[in-house]
């Protein structure tokens, strides 16, 4: 049975699938350019950091270094391997949003409008640029076809570098809780986050952006499954109902929408495998981040820790493959690509800051509604800009998905009003 599954994956990665591009009659790709091969190479690069790091952590723990260690390296080893237990006087209370008594409804409405506009502009721009970078050529003229940028890992690095700088600067300027989590624990969420982002970028070579957005909207299902398997969580009946409606809506969209130009069942299979990888890795990231929040850290500290290891992994892997300089050279050859990459990074970093501010001011329910509407707008904008077609049944499926998501928000809000504990199903720290 395992051999059959491997055969399916390898079939999806055959050169005949191409990259969902604009020139299906061109020469076949080298096998070293196949997404499955690049995934394995990237994973090997990450393993070259993870495996030695894991062995070092186990070595220090076996040697009881916390009790016997001394010297200049002791604070670094303690922070990375053992962490620091926060003391009560050092803790910064992470109280929920607190509005001053003189705040007027008009001011509240203006702040809500500011948050909604910030989130919509940041992530809609990010989505449009993401599709532009991964599906269109740069430097095309009347006589030259131009060239595409194909290294998704380089784009992941660009996003993470700016997010690391912004979160680090925020931690320096604003007082944060005493950090208690061992630094190495961030590496697991970081690894899964990098892999999920890579799959997300890579999938755009094979499936349309609306299909990807619908797949992302349906990730509540695998997140629930992961929570049940990993954390032994239980869910309400309405949660299973809304998850079922999401599944029905996504199925309606996928089965009714016609194939994209130059696509084939094989390219769709590659795209679906990559989307499944994105959802699986992202589900693990959410559950692992939820566990890390037990250390009473702030969201910005989480953002810094995850992005720090993401930069370490991606830089190391790109250097090992010799791809870092190639990405920089591509930016030098195409100034438009450099501008798009910079804007992608700015939208990613600003979007995460808007996430924190919106949740702090208005709560998770309002934030979820804004982000759900953003996904619907993203599908509409992509169809207008890039000519994706959606049938009536497909549009109805999209409506069912977002109606189920809004129903989910409403039901969770009612439970909170009744004083019942609501189980979180996703983390808001890493959205892209």
């Amino acid at each position: 049975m395992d051999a059959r599954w491997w055969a399916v994956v390898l079939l999806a990665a055959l050169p005949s699938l191409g990259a969902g591009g604009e020139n299906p009659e061109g020469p076949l790709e080298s096998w070293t350019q196949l997404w499955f091969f690049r995934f394995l190479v990237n994973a090997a690069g990450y393993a070259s950091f993870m495996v030695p790091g894991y062995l070092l952590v186990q070595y220090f723990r076996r040697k009881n270094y916390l009790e016997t260690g001394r010297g200049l390296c002791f604070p670094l080893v303690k922070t990375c391997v053992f962490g620091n237990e926060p003391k009560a006087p050092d803790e910064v209370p992470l109280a929920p949003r607190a509005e001053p008594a003189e705040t007027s409804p008009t001011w509240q409405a203006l702040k809500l409008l500011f948050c909604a506009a910030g989130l919509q502009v940041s992530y809609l721009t990010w989505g449009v640029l993401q599709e532009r970078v991964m599906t269109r050529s740069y430097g095309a003229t009347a006589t030259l076809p131009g060239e595409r940028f194909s290294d998704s890992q380089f784009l992941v690095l660009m996003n993470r570098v700016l997010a690391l700088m912004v979160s680090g600067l925020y931690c320096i300027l604003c007082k944060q809780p005493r950090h208690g989590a061992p630094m190495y624990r961030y590496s697991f969420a970081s690894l899964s986050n990098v892999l999920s982002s890579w799959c997300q970028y890579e999938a755009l070579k094979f499936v349309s952006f609306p299909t990807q957005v619908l797949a992302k909207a349906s990730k509540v299902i695998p997140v629930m499954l992961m929570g049940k398997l990993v954390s032994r969580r239980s869910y309400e009946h309405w949660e299973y109902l809304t998850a079922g409606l999401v599944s029905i809506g996504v199925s309606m969209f996928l089965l009714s929408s016609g194939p994209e130009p130059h696509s084939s069942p094989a390219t769709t299979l590659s795209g679906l495998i990559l989307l499944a990888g994105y959802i699986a890795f992202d589900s693990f990231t959410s559950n692992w981040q939820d566990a890390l929040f037990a250390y009473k850290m702030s969201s910005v500290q989480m953002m810094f820790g995850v992005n720090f290891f993401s930069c370490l992994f991606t830089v190391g892997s790109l250097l090992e493959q010799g791809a870092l300089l190639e990405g920089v050279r591509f930016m030098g050859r195409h100034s438009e690509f450099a501008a798009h990459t910079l804007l992608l990074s700015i939208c990613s970093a600003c979007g995460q800051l808007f996430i924190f501010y919106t949740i702090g001011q208005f709560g998770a329910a309002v934030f979820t509604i804004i982000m759900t509407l953003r996904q619907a707008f993203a599908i509409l904008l992509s169809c207008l800009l890039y000519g994706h077609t959606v049938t009536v049944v497909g549009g109805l499926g999209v409506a069912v998905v977002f109606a189920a998501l809004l129903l989910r928000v409403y039901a969770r809000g009612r439970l909170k009003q009744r004083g019942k504990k609501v189980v979180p199903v996703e983390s808001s720290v890493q959205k892209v």
Side-chain angles (χ1 to χ4, degrees):
M1 188 67 178
D2 291 340
R4 295 179 183 177
W5 281 109
W6 279 109
V8 171
V9 174
L10 290 174
L11 176 63
L14 286 175
S16 59
L17 301 185
E22 301 165 348
N23 185 21
E25 302 299 330
L28 298 179
E29 292 186 14
S30 167
W31 65 277
T32 59
Q33 297 300 315
L34 303 180
W35 70 263
F36 187 63
F37 178 82
R38 292 199 306 273
F39 177 84
L40 293 179
V41 172
N42 292 343
Y46 306 146
S48 66
F49 290 89
M50 288 290 290
V51 174
Y54 175 80
L55 294 177
L56 279 175
V57 169
Q58 295 304 312
Y59 170 78
F60 286 122
R61 287 186 174 277
R62 286 197 306 268
K63 292 294 184 180
N64 196 20
Y65 188 83
L66 191 60
E67 301 295 333
T68 61
R70 294 292 183 271
L72 295 176
C73 295
F74 178 77
L76 178 63
V77 174
K78 180 183 178 183
T79 300
C80 293
V81 178
F82 300 98
N84 300 289
E85 288 297 329
K87 300 177 182 178
D90 296 329
E91 291 184 353
V92 178
L94 300 177
R97 60 191 187 282
E99 295 298 329
E102 63 272 13
T103 300
S104 65
T106 302
W107 179 242
Q108 283 288 87
L110 288 175
K111 284 202 296 185
L112 178 60
L113 182 62
F114 170 73
C115 292
L119 287 169
Q120 299 290 352
V121 170
S122 296
Y123 284 109
L124 286 176
T125 305
W126 179 85
V128 169
L129 286 174
Q130 180 193 38
E131 187 170 9
R132 167 66 181 88
V133 169
M134 298 306 299
T135 63
R136 298 296 190 271
S137 299
Y138 287 92
T141 62
T143 57
L144 297 175
E147 57 179 334
R148 285 190 178 189
F149 186 78
S150 59
D151 195 344
S152 301
Q153 187 175 210
F154 184 83
L155 294 177
V156 175
L157 171 63
M158 293 295 100
N159 287 351
R160 299 300 177 258
V161 166
L162 188 59
L164 177 68
M165 295 171 60
V166 170
S167 58
L169 185 62
Y170 189 94
C171 289
I172 293 173
L173 298 179
C174 302
K175 188 176 181 180
Q176 301 294 313
R178 179 182 173 89
H179 189 268
M183 286 296 294
Y184 82 91
R185 288 185 175 271
Y186 290 107
S187 63
F188 300 104
S190 177
L191 179 61
S192 59
N193 181 255
V194 167
L195 291 174
S196 68
S197 298
W198 184 90
C199 290
Q200 182 181 9
Y201 278 112
E202 201 72 11
L204 282 176
K205 300 177 182 179
F206 303 97
V207 297
S208 67
F209 184 77
T211 301
Q212 187 187 86
V213 172
L214 262 291
K216 291 165 66 176
S218 64
K219 71 180 182 180
V220 63
I221 303 168
V223 168
M224 287 175 60
L225 293 175
M226 192 73 72
K228 200 169 185 64
L229 294 174
V230 176
S231 305
R232 304 296 182 185
R233 288 174 176 168
S234 59
Y235 298 96
E236 301 287 339
H237 294 297
W238 59 266
E239 293 182 282
Y240 290 108
L241 173 63
T242 54
L245 289 175
V246 168
S247 300
I248 293 173
V250 172
S251 300
M252 291 171 62
F253 177 82
L254 294 178
L255 294 176
S256 64
S257 299
E260 292 293 312
H262 310 308
S263 69
S264 67
T267 58
T268 302
L269 177 59
S270 287
L272 293 180
I273 292 175
L274 287 166
L275 287 178
Y278 160 74
I279 293 174
F281 289 126
D282 194 68
S283 300
F284 176 85
T285 303
S286 300
N287 283 278
W288 191 266
Q289 287 177 336
D290 286 338
L292 280 179
F293 275 119
Y295 286 95
K296 308 300 182 184
M297 69 184 67
S298 70
S299 296
V300 181
Q301 287 174 320
M302 173 74 78
M303 179 179 172
F304 178 83
V306 172
N307 283 300
F308 172 79
F309 280 98
S310 296
C311 291
L312 177 65
F313 291 151
T314 50
V315 167
S317 179
L318 287 169
L319 286 175
E320 291 173 358
Q321 300 175 38
L324 183 60
L325 291 179
E326 180 55 36
V328 175
R329 292 192 191 101
F330 193 93
M331 294 178 68
R333 291 195 301 270
H334 305 288
S335 58
E336 185 184 10
F337 171 77
H340 288 167
T341 303
L342 177 61
L343 191 53
L344 267 174
S345 303
I346 293 174
C347 290
S348 176
C350 291
Q352 291 186 48
L353 294 179
F354 270 111
I355 286 174
F356 304 143
Y357 184 75
T358 304
I359 293 177
Q361 293 293 318
F362 301 100
V366 173
F367 163 74
T368 305
I369 292 174
I370 294 174
M371 295 302 285
T372 301
L373 295 176
R374 189 269 304 179
Q375 291 175 320
F377 292 148
I379 292 178
L380 177 62
L381 190 60
S382 178
C383 291
L384 292 176
L385 292 178
Y386 299 112
H388 301 300
T389 58
V390 178
T391 65
V392 175
V393 177
L396 183 59
V398 173
V400 170
V401 170
F402 290 110
L405 295 177
L406 293 175
L407 176 62
R408 191 178 186 85
V409 175
Y410 172 77
R412 289 168 67 84
R414 291 295 299 270
L415 279 183
K416 285 185 177 180
Q417 289 180 355
R418 295 175 183 175
K420 292 185 178 181
K421 184 178 180 181
V422 179
V423 179
V425 295
E426 65 172 322
S427 172
S428 60
V429 175
Q430 294 291 344
K431 283 288 176 184
V432 296

